[in-house]
Amino acid sequence: MLDNNIQFSPEALNLVNKYIAKFPEGKQKSAVIAVLHLAQAELGGWLKPEIMDYVASLLNIKPIEVYEVATFYSQYYMKPVGKYVIEVCHTGPCWLRGADELIAYFENKLGIKKGQTTPDGMFTLKGVECLAACGTAPVFQCGMDYYENMDNEKVDFFLDKCRQENKVSRPYPVMN
Amino acid sequence: MGIKILTKDIDVPGIQNFQVYRSYGGYNSVEKALRMTPDEVVEEVKKSGLRGRGGAGFPTGMKWSFIDKKSGKPRHLVCNADESEPGTFKDRYLMSKNPHILIEGMITSSFALGANLSYIYVRGELMYVVNILQRAIDEAYANGFLGKNILGSGYDLELHVTCGAGAYICGEETALIESLEGKRGNPRIKPPFPAISGVWSNPTVVNNVESIAAVPYIVNNGGEEYAKIGIGKSTGTKLISASGHINKPGVYEIEMGVTVEEFIYSEEYCGGIWKGRKLKAVVAGGSSVPILPANLILKLANGEPRLMSYESLSDGGFATGTMLGSGGFIVFDETASIVHNLWNFERFYHHESCGQCSPCREGTGWVEKILHKFLDGHATMEDIDLVADVAKKIEGNTICPLGDAAAWPVASAIKHFRPEFEWYVTNPEEACKPGAYYTGDKLVLA
Ligand SMILES: Cc1cc2nc3c(=O)[nH]c(=O)nc-3n(C[C@H](O)[C@H](O)[C@H](O)COP(=O)(O)O)c2cc1C
Ligand code: FES
């Protein structure tokens, strides 16, 4: 069902058109992955069904084609999550260099377990697989950015910065 | 210091900008290639002996010569920048620090293939790299190296960067193609191979970032010059991502043929094992390749030093060898638990299985579960053979090689470190204590 309250800003619509223009005529479905990233960034941080329906209408594809994609990829959230989703790498090479300790520190600081969201809706702590940054372990990704060679002090600094900014942070392709 | 091809200018200030890159000889290969015929460029790449750097090591020039030109359909070059194999971070390093080397390689390679529409597919987590590449592409367009009639040659190329959204399987080339088409990343049954039917059923070549970034050097200097670097059929240089228990983790460009010992212990590369500890094991080519104990990674079965090359790393087959794979070199010191690490890797494969093939979807889950029994102190001796058996039944029984990738680490860990698995069974209280590690008398350290 289309919900008329769900609408991209003009700037975001402009981006959507640029994503679509990367593909030949009639292949606009290819843009769905980028548009879903943008939808999370602009429309509340997670993909409720109405948002997926809106994305389908923009790309002129069936809603099921969007659901199929949204439920496959790990960066899309099918349930509400925090404004900041802290995606800590817990794969082998990071584990060898302190990923468990990093996660424990976050758990302790935020008072939640891996997989949970703080009651104020600010942070979700997530364990993710190798982020291609094993040489600067331990690492996490949040929004557009990578945070490498992490230690407790850097984590404190990061959390303070987020609390000051206090806005939904999700990655999406930026274009001029 | 060995020869540097891919990382020669990587630390030049401002190399991310077109003008700086150009002033260091950047984009010369495009000018040169456009004065050649596409087939001549393919010929140079064949002569170079360049082998795909994504993991499989397939000769790049040969792959290019398979692309279907007869059907008259549009052709595409797709760069695989999904980089998700645990232990591998070289493509990210290269793209984020020197994006233009990839753009240049994409233009020269697309010309060789007769592709007029090409893509770079980057994993979604690396969105900041997507944005770096987008800026580099925009600059290349603005300077006449992309778009219509490049440098007045009559050759047109549109190049775009696209992204994924979190899925290791999208590194498998047919899954990547599905994802590029805006679908779930389910690998396709081959044949047809992408060279015949790839993106939108058009002939497509998929190549790794590092493979494509090597093309400018090959075109500028000739395939024969490139083939002089390296050893045997392992020509050129290779980016190695070094991680784990070493003094200096990072990306190193090596000339193929450096000894493993030099790579681990010299100051030029890993700088030795950290904290003054001993070497226990290495996973040499990303999480999917067999793990080797210290003695076998440093020396071949016949006692000769093992080298960093395709042939030398795979010497001895799966009995005493491994593979170069993606060049993800993960080092384990004497305190590392092989059992725990294996469980960690298998959790990864279970999480990343796309779910199409039952042996992989179900098998990886059971492997993960059984391995966890060891960490909980509940495993039995039979579980060692059971987990090996389940892994064996995944291998070779799936559409794509993710199943094999999940199975090989199990087989090799049990083969080379069986006493450690047994220790978890016979001494669970000791083995499961935080900070405990196996010190059995059969353990070989270096
Ligand atoms: C499960 C799986 C994951 C893969 N991941 C990657 C990857 O992240 N990057 C990559 O270049 N190749 C990856 N490959 C290999 C690709 O399928 C393909 O062989 C490669 O991109 C070809 O490029 P090359 O010939 O230049 O190596 C993967 C293969 C499998 C089976
Ligand atoms: S294992 Fe954490 S980034 Fe690779």
Side-chain angles (χ1 to χ4, degrees):
Chain A
M1 278 284 285
L2 276 183
D3 173 343
N4 290 332
N5 294 321
I6 291 176
Q7 265 281 318
F8 274 136
S9 65
E11 298 79 47
L13 278 174
N14 187 26
L15 269 180
V16 170
N17 288 331
K18 286 184 174 170
Y19 299 163
I20 293 174
K22 293 183 177 194
F23 304 99
E25 277 235 33
K27 305 297 184 196
Q28 75 284 355
K29 178 182 165 100
S30 286
V32 67
I33 294 191
V35 177
L36 286 174
H37 277 300
L38 184 64
Q40 289 197 139
E42 274 258 320
L43 303 173
W46 68 287
L47 298 175
K48 57 180 164 181
E50 294 80 359
I51 291 179
M52 293 192 275
D53 294 348
Y54 173 61
V55 168
S57 74
L58 285 178
L59 294 174
N60 199 15
I61 57 180
K62 294 193 213 79
I64 182 74
E65 295 177 85
V66 179
Y67 305 162
E68 279 178 343
V69 168
T71 52
F72 185 83
Y73 296 93
S74 64
Q75 286 185 286
Y76 300 135
Y77 310 120
M78 296 293 108
K79 290 189 190 126
V81 283
K83 286 180 179 162
Y84 297 87
V85 184
I86 303 164
E87 314 231 357
V88 187
C89 173
H90 62 198
T91 312
C94 276
W95 167 72
L96 290 174
R97 297 193 68 121
D100 284 355
E101 291 76 7
L102 177 62
I103 290 167
Y105 189 72
F106 268 121
E107 288 180 337
N108 195 12
K109 281 296 270 194
L110 298 173
I112 53 172
K113 291 274 161 217
K114 190 159 91 169
Q116 296 179 336
T117 300
T118 53
D120 61 0
M122 271 298 271
F123 299 104
T124 297
L125 184 63
K126 199 176 154 191
V128 298
E129 300 298 350
C130 180
L131 289 168
C134 335
T136 41
V139 299
F140 67 91
Q141 179 236 324
C142 183
M144 292 278 199
D145 298 314
Y146 267 53
Y147 298 84
E148 305 173 55
N149 286 317
M150 276 295 119
D151 56 31
N152 296 351
E153 206 177 316
K154 289 183 190 166
V155 166
D156 292 346
F157 183 81
F158 164 80
L159 292 175
D160 286 345
K161 194 189 67 166
C162 294
R163 288 199 181 93
Q164 273 161 27
E165 279 176 8
N166 189 18
K167 59 172 198 248
V168 173
S169 174
R170 300 286 182 269
Y172 63 93
V174 177
M175 300 184 71
N176 305 315
Chain B
M1 284 276 284
I3 179 167
K4 304 282 181 253
I5 291 176
L6 302 166
T7 59
K8 184 169 69 72
D9 300 324
I10 205 157
D11 290 319
V12 170
I15 197 76
Q16 294 89 345
N17 299 320
F18 179 88
Q19 295 307 346
V20 177
Y21 181 72
R22 186 89 175 106
S23 71
Y24 278 76
Y27 289 97
N28 284 354
S29 77
V30 176
E31 294 178 304
K32 183 161 179 199
L34 291 175
R35 290 193 301 267
M36 298 161 68
T37 67
D39 285 346
E40 283 168 356
V41 179
V42 174
E43 207 42 48
E44 290 306 321
V45 174
K46 276 191 183 166
K47 273 193 238 161
S48 75
L50 174 67
R51 295 169 64 175
R53 304 297 195 225
F58 192 82
T60 304
M62 197 191 300
K63 186 190 258 190
W64 288 10
S65 66
F66 293 153
I67 195 164
D68 166 31
K69 297 185 173 165
K70 288 194 217 92
S71 67
K73 291 185 191 169
R75 285 165 241 155
H76 308 291
L77 171 63
V78 177
C79 173
N80 188 341
D82 192 60
E83 190 164 68
S84 313
E85 170 89 359
T88 317
F89 45 98
K90 67 193 174 75
D91 297 339
R92 161 175 176 262
Y93 172 77
L94 192 62
M95 293 187 290
S96 60
K97 296 194 67 150
N98 191 358
H100 281 290
I101 197 172
L102 177 60
I103 311 300
E104 177 178 356
M106 284 299 288
I107 301 169
T108 304
S109 307
S110 295
F111 172 75
L113 291 163
N116 302 110
L117 176 59
S118 296
Y119 293 95
I120 303 171
Y121 177 100
V122 184
R123 63 181 294 182
E125 293 89 341
L126 288 179
M127 201 59 86
Y128 81 97
V129 175
V130 172
N131 297 334
I132 289 172
L133 290 171
Q134 184 67 51
R135 273 198 301 280
I137 289 174
D138 292 346
E139 283 187 305
Y141 270 103
N143 287 280
F145 281 88
L146 280 171
K148 292 240 174 290
N149 192 18
I150 296 172
L151 307 179
S153 65
Y155 174 61
D156 304 337
L157 176 63
E158 254 195 71
L159 174 65
H160 298 289
V161 55
T162 70
C163 63
Y168 167 62
I169 191 59
C170 289
E172 193 282 333
E173 58 184 8
T174 60
L176 187 153
I177 289 170
E178 288 283 303
S179 184
L180 189 59
E181 293 183 358
K183 301 178 194 152
R184 296 166 80 91
N186 288 342
R188 296 177 179 174
I189 294 173
K190 301 190 243 187
F193 288 91
I196 308 296
S197 178
V199 188
W200 306 304
S201 306
N202 293 331
T204 302
V205 164
V206 179
N207 272 136
N208 175 256
V209 171
E210 188 187 344
S211 313
I212 292 171
V215 171
Y217 179 93
I218 292 169
V219 169
N220 286 334
N221 299 279
E224 273 166 28
E225 277 307 303
Y226 188 85
K228 283 184 198 157
I229 307 161
I231 181 165
K233 287 192 174 142
S234 300
T235 60
T237 63
K238 176 86 190 80
L239 297 178
I240 304 292
S241 317
S243 68
H245 293 155
I246 46 179
N247 281 319
K248 300 194 306 161
V251 175
Y252 298 101
E253 181 169 14
I254 59 156
E255 178 168 355
M256 297 262 205
V258 170
T259 66
V260 172
E261 185 170 353
E262 179 183 352
F263 185 69
I264 296 177
Y265 294 102
S266 80
E267 275 312 305
E268 192 179 343
Y269 304 118
C270 301
I273 310 303
W274 75 344
K275 303 185 180 175
R277 291 186 188 153
K278 292 210 163 81
L279 172 67
K280 179 173 181 182
V282 171
V283 170
S287 61
S288 306
V289 312
I291 189 168
L292 287 184
N295 54 330
L296 288 178
I297 188 67
L298 294 171
K299 292 209 164 53
L300 307 178
N302 69 7
E304 281 173 28
R306 201 183 281 279
L307 313 179
M308 300 287 284
S309 73
Y310 291 101
E311 291 77 19
S312 189
L313 282 168
S314 59
D315 187 277
F318 280 7
T320 56
T322 179
M323 290 192 290
L324 177 59
S326 63
F329 197 91
I330 312 166
V331 178
F332 300 81
D333 75 16
E334 58 195 290
T335 69
S337 165
I338 302 300
V339 178
H340 193 124
N341 185 69
L342 183 63
W343 164 76
N344 180 299
F345 279 4
E346 295 303 317
R347 174 183 63 184
F348 168 81
Y349 290 108
H350 182 211
H351 184 260
E352 299 301 332
S353 171
C354 80
Q356 276 193 114
C357 311
S358 309
C360 174
R361 181 189 62 240
E362 304 301 324
T364 52
W366 282 109
V367 168
E368 181 196 344
K369 274 200 200 88
I370 300 166
L371 286 170
H372 206 268
K373 284 175 73 180
F374 288 84
L375 307 185
D376 286 339
H378 298 145
T380 63
M381 284 296 178
E382 289 75 50
D383 285 329
I384 303 175
D385 293 318
L386 181 63
V387 77
D389 183 55
V390 176
K392 188 81 204 148
K393 285 175 174 143
I394 305 173
E395 192 181 341
N397 292 322
T398 54
I399 291 174
C400 90
L402 188 141
D404 305 341
W408 294 338
V410 178
S412 56
I414 294 177
K415 182 177 180 52
H416 299 301
F417 296 96
R418 192 173 187 110
E420 187 170 334
F421 286 81
E422 291 172 352
W423 177 63
Y424 272 84
V425 175
T426 52
N427 298 53
E429 263 154 47
E430 193 192 338
C432 300
K433 246 191 258 147
Y437 56 91
Y438 179 68
T439 54
D441 50 3
K442 285 189 199 133
L443 188 63
V444 189
L445 301 169

